[in-house]
Amino acid sequence: MSEIGLADTPVGEGQPAPPAKPARNAVADGPILKTLLSLAWPNLIANSAGTCVVIAETSYIGRLGIEALAAMALVFPLVILTMTMSGGAMGGGVASAIARALGAGETDRASTLASHALLIALSFGATFLVGMLVFGPALLETLGGRGAVLDHAVAYLQIFFGGAMLPWLMNSMAGILRGTGNMKLPSFMILSSAVLQIVLGGTLSLGLGLGMRGVAAGALLAFSVSISVMGWYLFSGRARVKPKLRGLKISRAMFADILKVGAVACFSPLQSVLSIAIFTHMLAGFGTAVLAGYGIGARLEFMMTTVGFSIGMASVPMVGMAIGGGHVARARRIAWTAGLVSFTAMGVLSTIIAIVPQLWVDIFTQDESARSAGRHYLQIAAPMYAFIGLAIAMYFSSQGAAKVIGPVLAQTARLIFIAAGGSYLLSHAATEGQFFMLAAASMVLLGVSTLASVMLTRWGPKPAALELRPAAVAAELSSGPVTRSPRVG
């Protein structure tokens, strides 16, 4: 029968119906740059809301007195550590595992992984709850808390970490949804949570006179609203995965699939906090003005990293689904694209501030000595924020590929570099400008090391352990004709 005859033959008259094309998934096979940006912008809005929370909380905590402000500065690193571990680290591990399962077409496995992710969240949250309530006050005292400052800090800590399972649950649910490629709902809920946190924290702390306890309670209430909405969405079956509860069998393999990324990734924010703490301690010897100037610059870095986080988090489900589907080359292209976009975006924005640092510095202080130190720091270090953007994007892409050890070790290299370089500078009576150069150099080291680790790490399955040797091939050919089975697919 000719091709024309075949075309004219109606379906159902001797011809089987053509197979239905599988539904197209833009996250798995859409244009890389367009898909990446479409997933990144909701994250950017949500992450920017976190910066607004910090500014708003600082504003109304200031009305409680200078002791309350100092107390918040004391407890803030512990709160940030909790949020980054549960969100960017373990949340990234959850998103990676879900995305890889969906990429391989294993929806049932993805649903089981979601259940195990919630169990991990409850376990880690309980660990933070017990650890901070038992050891937190002594830790705050070790960090320098005294008198009324320590009392305010402990009051906040007891309420916030008394509900430590809530941020872990919220960020794990967000990770599950992001793993399916749904960035809009978790981002919208984080944005809503930020607005509620500002309103409730201010009302409870100032309006009802609960002080620092009210600030912490406002955060927990806001988290509870997000958990309720995302939990309803997940368990109602509206998401691509539905966590299993009835008949769930606990599987060590499921825990391992999440923790091999999430648990290792938790060391990255821990080392980042340690790096900042060490550098801050060394700069304290130069006086309040220099320390304040560095703090102003560090705030810009914190704000700029929301760009890198937004792009990086968008790459996790894209890379994960590509790896799960066996498309390693596509996964690599996604990682390079995310790294380039993050590097460029953060580099352009921070370089503009480096050229005219007063645009940023003058917002925070009227003290000329602090302004001078802040301008000096930004002129040296701000352009290097681009390398932090590169490192963040590569870190998240590596989570999607379940190959996160390299980026974590790059963070270790930066920590050692700051500690060793800072000790050398202290022993040689270096100026604050030289310390600022140390900070800038550590950013370059972090970005380049993270990029190198991704380039040198094999993604995808390992090559087959057993290969047919040339001698065996020759023997087979000499024995006679070879019959080959037709290749399927």
Side-chain angles (χ1 to χ4, degrees):
M1 185 179 292
S2 68
E3 291 182 4
I4 296 177
L6 281 171
D8 291 337
T9 303
V11 175
E13 297 183 12
Q15 294 295 322
K21 293 183 179 181
R24 190 170 183 272
N25 182 356
V27 178
D29 52 25
I32 290 175
L33 180 59
K34 180 181 177 181
T35 305
L36 182 72
L37 295 178
S38 69
L39 294 176
W41 72 260
N43 293 333
L44 182 59
I45 294 174
N47 290 333
S48 298
T51 304
C52 296
V53 170
V54 173
I55 295 172
E57 282 189 343
T58 303
S59 174
Y60 56 69
I61 289 173
R63 299 186 183 184
L64 298 174
I66 190 68
E67 293 87 357
L69 271 177
M72 194 63 206
L74 197 65
V75 78
F76 187 66
L78 302 179
V79 175
I80 287 298
L81 185 63
T82 305
M83 298 305 293
T84 52
M85 276 190 171
S86 61
M90 191 62 71
V94 171
S96 169
I98 298 290
R100 282 182 278 112
L102 291 176
E106 300 174 349
T107 305
D108 190 62
R109 175 182 175 84
S111 297
T112 305
L113 282 166
S115 303
H116 285 72
L118 298 179
L119 293 176
I120 290 173
L122 291 172
S123 299
F124 273 77
T127 301
F128 269 83
L129 185 154
V130 174
M132 287 300 178
L133 292 185
V134 174
F135 302 106
L139 177 59
L140 292 173
E141 189 172 1
T142 301
L143 292 174
R146 299 290 184 274
V149 173
L150 180 60
D151 292 339
H152 282 298
V154 170
Y156 183 97
L157 179 141
Q158 288 174 338
I159 298 298
F160 185 87
F161 286 101
M165 286 185 280
L166 295 179
W168 278 89
L169 275 175
M170 180 183 72
N171 284 322
S172 287
M173 287 181 176
I176 293 170
L177 289 169
R178 285 178 175 135
T180 68
N182 184 343
M183 297 288 171
K184 292 183 179 179
L185 179 60
S187 295
F188 175 76
M189 292 317 305
I190 290 174
L191 176 62
S192 302
S193 177
V195 174
L196 280 174
Q197 189 173 343
I198 293 171
V199 174
L200 293 173
T203 301
L204 294 174
S205 62
L206 298 177
L208 298 182
L210 297 179
M212 294 294 284
R213 288 185 173 89
V215 179
L220 295 180
L221 288 172
F223 296 160
S224 299
V225 173
S226 292
I227 291 169
S228 299
V229 175
M230 288 190 289
W232 165 79
Y233 189 83
L234 284 168
F235 288 102
S236 67
R238 286 168 170 78
R240 291 184 66 186
V241 299
K242 181 179 180 180
K244 292 184 176 181
L245 293 180
R246 192 173 297 177
L248 175 66
K249 294 182 179 179
I250 304 300
S251 169
R252 295 174 65 179
M254 296 290 175
F255 284 131
D257 199 11
I258 296 172
L259 293 175
K260 71 181 181 182
V261 176
V264 176
C266 281
F267 285 97
S268 185
L270 178 61
Q271 293 179 119
S272 180
V273 169
L274 283 175
S275 297
I276 294 171
I278 291 172
F279 196 75
T280 302
H281 176 72
M282 290 185 294
L283 281 181
F286 289 96
T288 304
V290 172
L291 193 58
Y294 167 70
I296 291 170
R299 287 185 187 183
L300 177 65
E301 179 182 338
F302 174 74
M303 191 183 78
M304 287 286 102
T305 55
T306 61
V307 177
F309 270 81
S310 301
I311 297 167
M313 282 192 291
S315 75
V316 173
M318 294 180 68
V319 172
M321 290 186 186
I323 291 293
H327 307 299
V328 179
R330 174 179 168 84
R332 289 281 191 183
R333 289 196 299 272
I334 294 168
W336 306 143
T337 303
L340 180 60
V341 171
S342 183
F343 179 88
T344 303
M346 285 185 62
V348 169
L349 293 173
S350 57
T351 299
I352 292 173
I353 297 297
I355 296 171
V356 281
Q358 60 270 21
L359 292 177
W360 178 259
V361 174
D362 292 357
I363 296 174
F364 297 95
T365 182
Q366 300 298 319
D367 186 277
E368 186 52 41
S369 58
R371 283 182 170 183
S372 176
R375 290 193 295 266
H376 191 194
Y377 175 78
L378 289 175
Q379 287 168 346
I380 293 174
M384 300 303 108
Y385 291 169
F387 290 91
I388 293 182
L390 175 63
I392 291 172
M394 292 290 102
Y395 165 75
F396 277 108
S397 293
S398 296
Q399 285 186 339
K403 301 288 185 180
V404 79
I405 292 179
V408 171
L409 290 178
Q411 191 68 255
T412 305
R414 184 194 186 193
L415 175 61
I416 294 172
F417 180 78
I418 288 176
S423 298
Y424 175 82
L425 292 178
L426 284 174
S427 66
H428 287 74
T431 65
E432 70 268 17
Q434 290 173 309
F435 274 92
F436 294 162
M437 292 179 66
L438 173 68
S442 75
M443 298 172 194
V444 177
L445 174 65
L446 176 63
V448 173
S449 298
T450 305
L451 177 63
S453 72
V454 173
M455 293 177 66
L456 296 174
T457 301
R458 178 186 295 275
W459 284 9
K462 295 180 179 179
L466 295 177
E467 296 180 359
L468 199 60
R469 297 179 181 177
V473 174
E476 184 179 3
L477 291 175
S478 63
S479 63
V482 179
T483 302
R484 296 186 183 274
S485 59
R487 184 180 177 183
V488 179

